Amino acid sequence: MNEHCIFCKIVAGQIPSRKVHEDELVYAFHDIHPWAPVHFLIIPKLHIPSMAQVEPAHAGLLGHMTSLAPRLALQEGCRPYPEGGFRIVINTGAEGGQEVHHLHMHVMGGPRPWLKG
Ligand code: 5GP
Ligand code: ZN
């Protein structure tokens, strides 16, 4: 845990969040400022600052996050593929639009129009 990281504090329960899913590796919760009718974040419990720090040893963790996303998207109300679907975004670094420096996967979906994108 990084004591200055808001997402580590969310994982630790020190900052409240609306939980979507939790297991030994990851925590998923609704974004506080949703861009789409469905918008949640999947984060590793391990503090990895961004995709730029991902190493081969993290492949299983990233695979877990990626395979979880479609299931959680349906659980949270995204319609099935191909009429429905969802968008996965991982902003990385300042020019990648990253604001919180704890790796997170945005999962967005639901009927359009969306606020952004
Ligand atoms: P980034 O721009 O880093 O890819 O996305 C960070 C996301 O985290 C933003 O969409 C923002 O709304 C969300 N966020 C920031 N702080 C909090 C918080 O305290 N709680 C929740 N639920 N979401 C947050
Ligand atoms: Zn963190």
Side-chain angles (χ1 to χ4, degrees):
M1 164 152 181
N2 179 324
E3 63 187 27
H4 304 294
C5 171
I6 60 168
F7 284 0
C8 281
K9 288 181 181 168
I10 283 176
V11 170
Q14 293 167 4
I15 294 176
S17 64
R18 290 171 54 220
K19 178 160 57 170
V20 166
H21 170 88
E22 181 173 13
D23 61 42
E24 67 280 5
L25 294 175
V26 304
Y27 187 76
F29 57 104
H30 292 279
D31 196 292
I32 205 165
H33 293 127
W35 303 355
V38 176
H39 186 175
F40 61 88
L41 306 174
I42 306 176
I43 70 174
K45 288 188 169 176
L46 180 69
H47 180 85
I48 303 170
S50 80
M51 281 300 293
Q53 287 76 33
V54 166
E55 297 175 359
H58 300 131
L61 176 60
L62 270 287
H64 181 57
M65 291 168 65
T66 307
S67 62
L68 205 49
R71 290 198 280 126
L72 297 182
L74 289 175
Q75 175 189 302
E76 294 308 312
C78 294
R79 293 194 303 139
Y81 174 92
E83 294 81 11
F86 51 85
R87 175 177 291 175
I88 290 174
V89 172
I90 305 179
N91 296 323
T92 305
E95 293 182 346
Q98 184 180 9
E99 291 177 357
V100 177
H101 291 267
H102 179 129
L103 178 64
H104 53 280
M105 179 182 278
H106 294 260
V107 183
M108 290 163 278
R112 290 181 177 268
W114 294 357
L115 200 59
K116 291 193 211 175

